[in-house]
Amino acid sequence: MTRPHDPRTTELFQQALDQNTGDTISLEQFIAPLEARAYGFLVVLLSLPNFIPIPMGVGGVCGTSLVLIGAQMLWGMPRPWLPRFARQHGFPRHSVEAFVARMNPMFARLERVCRPRWEQITRKPYSHFSGLMLILLGILLALPIPFTNYPFGLLILAFGVALIERDGVLLALVWGATIVSTAMVGSLSSAMVSLVRHFFG
């Protein structure tokens, strides 16, 4: 029998919209009331810009923020801390509403299969490894690799949902996908370096 569950991802998004009625919604406004679940919710939020058609460079900004969050998890901080410029960065409300409306069906499908299981690996000491995986994901997202924002955004989204829903099975799958993605990018980079050396060495 499954114990009572905390608010789901879709419910948290709706609460954030209901509680913040301004034209922009900052990261600080989203994460302030979330306590221990703030890491997962912040990771989900940072996946948001990767699905919205906005100017180039979003991968670098979101990737750097993910590295910062991952480093804090790796260090063992109980709640995420962000510098003022990041905390106060506001997303236009209409963009957030459009994202929520577009992504709610996906969240709903995830929530039907996600539930608290293997919960221990979503907490310490395994959260330190999650921090390392987030650092790798942040680096991958920040690299100027064409057409990768969307797939890496999906991976980041799944990572955040796994942390919020305390779903260790999904989290383990994301760990594996992150390791495979890192290995693939590393192999591609090595091949490109070898090719350049062959022609210009």
Side-chain angles (χ1 to χ4, degrees), residues 52-152:
I52 299 174
I54 56 181
M56 296 278 294
V58 65
V61 175
C62 292
T64 301
S65 298
L66 280 172
V67 169
L68 178 62
I69 294 168
Q72 292 178 55
M73 289 188 71
L74 183 61
W75 186 258
M77 294 178 65
R79 285 175 56 90
W81 174 89
L82 291 174
R84 180 179 297 178
F85 76 88
R87 293 198 312 267
Q88 296 182 350
H89 177 74
F91 295 100
R93 183 180 181 84
H94 66 85
S95 295
V96 177
E97 290 175 339
F99 170 79
V100 171
R102 189 162 59 246
M103 300 301 291
N104 261 347
M106 180 185 296
F107 286 134
R109 286 193 291 272
L110 282 170
E111 290 169 357
R112 282 198 291 270
V113 299
C114 292
R115 60 183 184 275
R117 51 188 173 174
W118 293 12
E119 290 183 64
Q120 184 56 44
I121 74 168
T122 68
R123 302 189 175 99
K124 291 182 180 179
Y126 303 97
S127 59
H128 297 288
F129 186 72
S130 287
L132 177 60
M133 293 297 99
L134 270 182
I135 290 173
L136 292 178
L137 263 181
I139 293 171
L140 291 175
L141 185 62
L143 291 173
I145 306 174
F147 312 114
T148 56
N149 276 23
Y150 191 82
F152 287 149

Side-chain angles (χ1 to χ4, degrees), residues 159-171:
F159 205 130
V161 170
L163 292 176
I164 292 173
E165 302 291 333
R166 300 193 182 96
D167 190 340
V169 172
L170 177 59
L171 186 61

Side-chain angles (χ1 to χ4, degrees), residues 2-84:
T2 304
R3 61 176 176 75
H5 201 285
D6 290 331
R8 310 304 299 263
T9 308
T10 49
E11 294 170 344
L12 288 173
F13 265 112
Q14 191 57 51
Q15 287 174 16
L17 289 173
D18 292 343
Q19 293 171 8
N20 300 284
T21 58
D23 293 333
T24 61
I25 302 176
S26 69
L27 293 178
E28 185 173 32
Q29 288 172 314
F30 269 103
I31 68 174
L34 298 176
E35 299 182 352
R37 304 176 80 189
Y39 276 113
F41 196 70
L42 189 54
V43 170
V44 169
L45 283 177
L46 286 172
S47 74
L48 183 155
N50 298 287
F51 303 98
I52 299 174
I54 56 181
M56 296 278 294
V58 65
V61 175
C62 292
T64 301
S65 298
L66 280 172
V67 169
L68 178 62
I69 294 168
Q72 292 178 55
M73 289 188 71
L74 183 61
W75 186 258
M77 294 178 65
R79 285 175 56 90
W81 174 89
L82 291 174
R84 180 179 297 178

